[in-house]
Amino acid sequence: SLVAACASSSDDKFLHSMYEHLLSTNQVKTALRIDSTSLETWLINEKEDSNLLSDYYSIHGRHFSAGEILLDKAVAVDPNEKVPLAQRIECLTRAANSYSLAMQSNLPSSNMMSMIGGYDQRRDRALQDRQVSVETLKANIKAIEEKLDVAKIQQRVLTTVDQSQNVDLKPEMLDALRFKLVSVSELYNDYTCELN
């Protein structure tokens, strides 16, 4: 295709212009299907968009890397970037799904199927993704599921606070409830006890 021919160029300025054009003309999936270290580097250094980068990794079978990006966004504590609770919950869910896919691709049966099917360049690139044990992936998924359980309780507390007429929370506490992942002990001690 024309995009594949253009993507094989060695001119970085041209490639960056092409990537930007594809994204600005709503051809995000087309752009992210380009299997190129140049595109990956551009997404990391120039776009700084964790959603695009995680989608790029997912499309190319690099599910562990996608999960890492999504988990980082979900738990980020950058005071300059207010990530809403609903978006954090979505990132946690997608991270758990990415780790599950990484675990499935680590299973011997899926590797055997790729050997039977012959050489697959995309699969070869995916194997370059950080090799992680199934136990590590299971532990990551369990930790994310625990965070998700607490975040969903936090979402219920936030909904109650937003719908209540007579709740008087300090602005920084309300802000934490809306834009951070709060621990279960903080939820209980700082919010639910106060909201009784």
Side-chain angles (χ1 to χ4, degrees):
S1 77
L2 181 60
V3 172
C6 291
S8 66
S9 171
S10 59
D11 182 351
D12 282 340
K13 252 186 163 169
F14 170 75
L15 288 171
H16 295 175
S17 295
M18 181 183 73
Y19 304 150
E20 194 63 60
H21 171 75
L22 288 170
L23 295 180
S24 67
T25 57
N26 227 8
Q27 298 179 62
V28 176
K29 293 294 182 197
T30 300
L32 296 180
R33 280 192 199 100
I34 298 170
D35 193 5
S36 160
T37 55
S38 168
L39 174 57
E40 179 182 1
T41 303
W42 181 76
L43 288 169
I44 293 168
N45 297 330
E46 302 294 324
K47 288 313 278 182
E48 297 177 359
D49 183 329
S50 56
N51 289 327
L52 284 175
L53 187 58
S54 66
D55 287 351
Y56 172 81
Y57 287 144
S58 291
I59 287 169
H60 295 286
R62 295 174 60 188
H63 302 294
F64 179 78
S65 293
E68 292 287 282
I69 297 293
L70 292 163
L71 181 58
D72 285 349
K73 183 169 185 169
V75 299
V77 288
D78 183 357
N80 298 325
E81 185 180 358
K82 290 189 171 187
V83 179
L85 180 60
Q87 192 174 356
R88 290 180 186 273
I89 290 171
E90 179 187 346
C91 287
L92 286 171
T93 303
R94 290 180 61 205
N97 291 339
S98 292
Y99 286 142
S100 292
L101 288 168
M103 194 165 53
Q104 289 172 12
S105 66
N106 273 356
L107 296 176
S109 62
S110 63
N111 292 334
M112 184 59 75
M113 290 306 288
S114 69
M115 284 188 250
I116 294 169
Y119 180 73
D120 179 357
Q121 183 179 358
R122 180 178 287 175
R123 176 104 179 117
D124 189 47
R125 284 293 285 285
L127 291 174
Q128 293 172 8
D129 203 10
R130 283 185 34 203
Q131 293 296 310
V132 181
S133 72
V134 171
E135 291 77 26
T136 300
L137 290 167
K138 284 180 180 177
N140 287 358
I141 292 167
K142 185 175 182 341
I144 290 171
E145 287 171 347
E146 289 170 2
K147 285 183 188 304
L148 262 172
D149 289 342
V150 174
K152 288 176 182 175
I153 294 168
Q154 180 179 340
Q155 182 70 56
R156 281 188 265 166
V157 171
L158 179 59
T159 301
T160 301
V161 167
D162 285 342
Q163 292 174 352
S164 181
Q165 300 296 325
N166 57 353
V167 173
D168 189 29
L169 284 178
K170 295 176 187 163
E172 61 271 5
M173 287 181 68
L174 192 54
D175 219 37
L177 205 53
R178 285 194 172 118
F179 299 108
K180 295 179 181 172
L181 291 177
V182 180
S183 73
V184 71
S185 61
E186 288 174 299
L187 268 177
Y188 181 76
N189 294 326
D190 299 343
Y191 295 95
T192 54
C193 285
E194 186 147 331
L195 296 174
N196 257 349

